[in-house]
Amino acid sequence: MKIINKGIATLALGLSLSLSATAAVVEVEVSNLFDDGGLAITPVWVGFHDGTFDSFDAGSSASASLQNLAENGATGDISSDFAASNPSGTDGTIFAFGGNAPVFEPGESATSGFFSVDPTTSGYFSFLSMLIPTNDAFIGNDNPLAYSLFNAQGIFQELEILVLGSEVYDAGTELNRGFGAPFLVGGGAEPRQDEGGVVTFSNGLSVLPGGLAIIGSNTPTGYTIDQAAADFTAAGFEVARISVTQVAEPETLAILALGLFGLLAVKRRKQA
């Protein structure tokens, strides 16, 4: 019984200490907004940081970590960079759970949490994900200060980010002329070829002469790419939605903490 009481006391104390008006526990929802026949997106890396983590800059060469994400959908290197630059921040990768998990197929959504954030160490939000099947197209925020989770008074504010097709980037690392493993399209693929370029906004699904067009090809998840559904260069095209919401209000946590303290007091009286 003493062990249980100590556990309740520890939990209650931890909750009470975390009830600062500036702290928040949040979850992230990712939605692929492509219609059937459109593109899939790889598991989405998300990071909560102090505003200094800059994963890429348009007009500059992609880092090796960004290249790995934009060409292979891999988030491990980005996560390592993040930990090194923001040791007090928090990050994670959000996976789809239905269909051909972990890839987000057109129309698929998933929610992940819980992330603890505060204005000092984790008040800004960043994200990255590859579009497939492409060579090196990805979505993410160039400006690390673009998405603030707290207002000027330090109060949490929800985010709802609508990613448009005009905001899709090309990493500039691989020529857009074929699709190799792990995102093979059709019956074959040309060898990967370095592009040696810089990060720019993507010009869509067009390929160089002799390239392997993806329109009408089968994706790794088994459906056929349709031109109208996949052409994210169309005006106002919606690619993805990413929402960051609070899991519990501070008032709710306060009530829970007081309830735990009350429970502990009752147990102590019974033992007296």
Side-chain angles (χ1 to χ4, degrees), residues 51 60 99 110 112 125 130 157 169 176 186 203 209 215 220 230 242 250:
S60 299
S112 181
F125 177 73
M130 176 190 181
Q157 53 189 7
Y169 290 94
N176 303 321
N203 61 3
I215 301 301
I242 301 174

Side-chain angles (χ1 to χ4, degrees), residues 140-265:
N141 52 302
D142 181 2
N143 180 4
L145 301 176
Y147 302 115
S148 175
L149 294 163
F150 297 88
N151 62 19
Q153 289 72 45
I155 305 301
F156 176 81
Q157 53 189 7
E158 295 185 349
L159 291 178
E160 183 168 302
I161 303 167
L162 180 62
V163 182
L164 299 178
S166 57
E167 299 169 318
V168 174
Y169 290 94
D170 185 302
T173 57
E174 182 178 356
L175 289 175
N176 303 321
R177 45 187 307 130
F179 306 92
F183 305 118
L184 181 65
V185 178
E190 297 181 6
R192 180 193 178 283
Q193 296 186 20
D194 287 326
E195 186 174 5
V198 297
V199 177
T200 60
F201 285 115
S202 174
N203 61 3
L205 303 177
S206 60
V207 296
L208 298 175
L212 179 64
I214 72 172
I215 301 301
S217 298
N218 291 328
T219 70
T221 55
Y223 62 87
T224 301
I225 295 291
D226 175 77
Q227 183 168 5
D231 184 13
F232 56 79
T233 62
F237 194 100
E238 297 180 354
V239 170
R241 178 180 292 107
I242 301 174
S243 303
V244 184
T245 56
Q246 193 164 14
V247 175
E249 297 294 333
E251 294 83 358
T252 303
L253 293 175
I255 292 172
L256 178 58
L258 290 173
L260 287 172
F261 275 124
L263 177 61
L264 180 59

Side-chain angles (χ1 to χ4, degrees), residues 4-79:
I4 295 176
N5 286 345
K6 288 181 179 179
I8 293 174
T10 300
L11 178 57
L13 179 60
L15 283 171
S16 65
L17 292 176
S18 69
L19 296 180
S20 161
T22 59
V25 178
V26 303
E27 62 183 9
V28 182
E29 181 181 28
V30 174
S31 299
N32 181 343
L33 300 183
F34 280 95
D35 290 331
D36 290 345
L39 304 184
I41 63 176
T42 59
V44 180
W45 175 85
V46 296
F48 300 89
H49 55 90
D50 61 7
T52 63
F53 181 71
D54 192 5
S55 57
F56 70 94
D57 292 297
S60 299
S61 298
S63 66
S65 299
L66 179 65
Q67 178 177 352
N68 197 15
L69 183 140
E71 293 185 14
N72 302 310
T75 64
D77 291 344
I78 285 290
S79 185

